């Protein structure tokens, strides 16, 4: 039996394009891609306005502050919204009963699951590319430059983290009985993994440690030779989690 079915991939992609999912994700990623460099550029003025009569003096912001703000928002609000939207992908079809229509058309459960995984990764990749291009353009406009040492490695780490959270979303979507349960489980896993990022020694092995590692790259406090650890650990966690999800899904009553 073929591993993938084109019609399944097309169906999954159309769900993002023709429903509010695609619009919500695009709006969130684009908004923070543009607003983050502006926030970094005018942070001193914002703080001065909020502080009133209190005199506050901070160093002039740089492009490092801009990317720090971009990645901070990407790791929090953007990733949480993506995770919640993606976490309903299987549980919603189980609730509606539409999953039975698909699985009775010579589609295996593995094909069903891997199609959702691939399209989820594709959607995250497009969102990451678009938001990075917009942030880079606006950072260059405000700061006169946008590139820094470790820029491509930062993107790679965030992309891999996106793949891992796509696997997390699929996992909670399979074990969750309702879309609400799946979304709450996804957020709980996200919160626990973020707490572990309190230490950079743990963050390099944490599949959601990209934000801490990229901060260290921006401040030049991490050796480039150490970066194979988060790449390898995130890839391994993603594969193992997908295989576990497939194992559970194959034995699940629907």
């Amino acid at each position: 039996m073929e591993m993938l079915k084109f019609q399944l991939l097309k169906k999954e992609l159309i769900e993002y394009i023709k429903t509010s999912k695609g619009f919500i994700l695009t709006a969130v990623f684009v908004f923070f891609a543009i607003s983050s460099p502006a926030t970094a550029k005018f942070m001193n003025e914002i703080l001065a306005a909020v502080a009133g009569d209190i005199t506050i003096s901070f160093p002039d912001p740089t492009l490092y502050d801009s990317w720090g703000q971009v990645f901070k928002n990407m790791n929090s609000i953007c990733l949480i919204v993506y995770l919640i939207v993606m976490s309903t992908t299987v549980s919603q079809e189980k609730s509606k009963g539409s999953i039975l229509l698909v699985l009775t058309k010579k589609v295996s459960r593995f094909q069903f699951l891997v199609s959702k995984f691939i399209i989820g990764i594709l959607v995250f990749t497009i969102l990451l590319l678009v938001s990075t291009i917009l942030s880079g353009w606006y950072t260059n406009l405000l700061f006169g430059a946008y590139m820094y040492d470790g820029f491509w490695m930062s993107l790679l780490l965030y992309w891999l983290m996106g793949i891992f959270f796509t696997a997390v979303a699929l996992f909670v979507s399979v074990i969750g009985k309702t879309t609400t349960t799946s979304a709450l489980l996804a957020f709980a896993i996200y919160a626990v993994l973020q707490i572990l990022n309190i230490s950079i020694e743990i963050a390099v092995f944490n599949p959601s440690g990209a934000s801490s590692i990229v901060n260290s790259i921006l401040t030049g406090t991490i050796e480039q030779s150490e970066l194979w650890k988060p790449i390898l650990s995130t890839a391994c966690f993603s594969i193992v989690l997908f295989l576990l999800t497939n194992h559970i899904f194959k034995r699940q009553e629907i």
Side-chain angles (χ1 to χ4, degrees):
M1 183 180 289
E2 58 183 327
M3 181 176 171
L4 285 173
K5 283 186 177 291
F6 175 75
Q7 290 301 324
L8 261 183
L9 294 172
K10 185 180 175 183
K11 167 189 165 295
E12 294 300 325
L13 191 58
I14 288 175
E15 279 189 17
Y16 284 94
I17 295 172
K18 289 192 172 181
T19 66
S20 58
K21 290 181 181 178
F23 174 76
I24 291 170
L25 289 171
T26 304
V28 170
F29 273 75
V30 168
F31 174 78
F32 285 103
I34 295 174
S35 64
S36 297
T39 303
K41 177 69 176 179
F42 302 110
M43 182 56 75
N44 289 347
E45 288 79 357
I46 294 170
L47 290 175
V50 172
D53 296 334
I54 302 173
T55 303
I56 300 177
S57 178
F58 290 103
D60 290 335
T62 66
L63 69 93
Y64 295 97
D65 299 302
S66 176
W67 282 113
Q69 190 68 40
V70 169
F71 288 125
K72 179 183 175 185
N73 288 332
M74 199 180 291
N75 183 65
S76 53
I77 301 170
C78 296
L79 189 57
I80 290 172
V81 173
Y82 169 76
L83 188 55
I84 289 174
V85 168
M86 184 69 192
S87 67
T88 64
T89 186
V90 177
S91 54
Q92 190 173 46
E93 292 210 38
K94 286 194 290 186
S95 299
K96 290 181 176 177
S98 57
I99 190 171
L100 294 173
L101 296 175
V102 178
L103 295 179
T104 52
K105 293 180 179 178
K106 295 183 180 179
V107 173
S108 70
R109 295 195 181 197
F110 177 76
Q111 288 172 329
F112 179 81
L113 212 55
V114 80
S115 298
K116 289 187 176 293
F117 193 41
I118 289 174
I119 295 302
I121 293 172
L122 178 65
V123 168
F124 183 82
T125 303
I126 293 171
L127 291 169
L128 181 63
L129 283 176
V130 170
S131 60
T132 301
I133 291 170
L134 287 173
S135 296
W137 167 75
Y138 205 30
T139 297
N140 188 59
L141 194 68
L142 294 175
F143 297 93
Y146 68 94
M147 188 61 73
Y148 64 90
D149 287 341
F151 174 80
W152 296 111
M153 180 57 74
S154 301
L155 285 185
L156 175 62
L157 291 172
Y158 263 88
W159 182 68
L160 287 171
M161 185 174 70
I163 292 176
F164 170 72
F165 274 110
T166 303
V168 169
L170 214 52
F171 173 72
V172 297
S173 193
V174 164
I175 65 173
K177 292 185 178 179
T178 66
T179 54
T180 305
T181 308
S182 299
L184 289 173
L185 279 172
F187 184 75
I189 292 173
Y190 168 85
V192 170
L193 291 174
Q194 291 301 311
I195 291 171
L196 295 176
N197 285 332
I198 193 169
S199 164
I200 189 65
E201 284 76 17
I202 298 175
V204 293
F205 295 104
N206 183 353
S208 73
S211 59
S212 298
I213 299 166
V214 169
N215 280 336
S216 298
I217 292 174
L218 287 167
T219 55
T221 55
I222 191 168
E223 295 291 335
Q224 296 283 327
S225 59
E226 294 289 306
L227 295 177
W228 66 270
K229 296 176 183 175
I231 292 173
L232 185 62
S233 65
T234 307
C236 289
F237 273 113
S238 302
I239 293 169
V240 169
L241 189 55
F242 178 77
L243 293 176
L244 176 63
T245 304
N246 183 52
H247 178 77
I248 295 170
F249 190 52
K250 280 168 61 179
R251 288 157 178 76
Q252 199 170 50
E253 287 187 19
I254 297 175

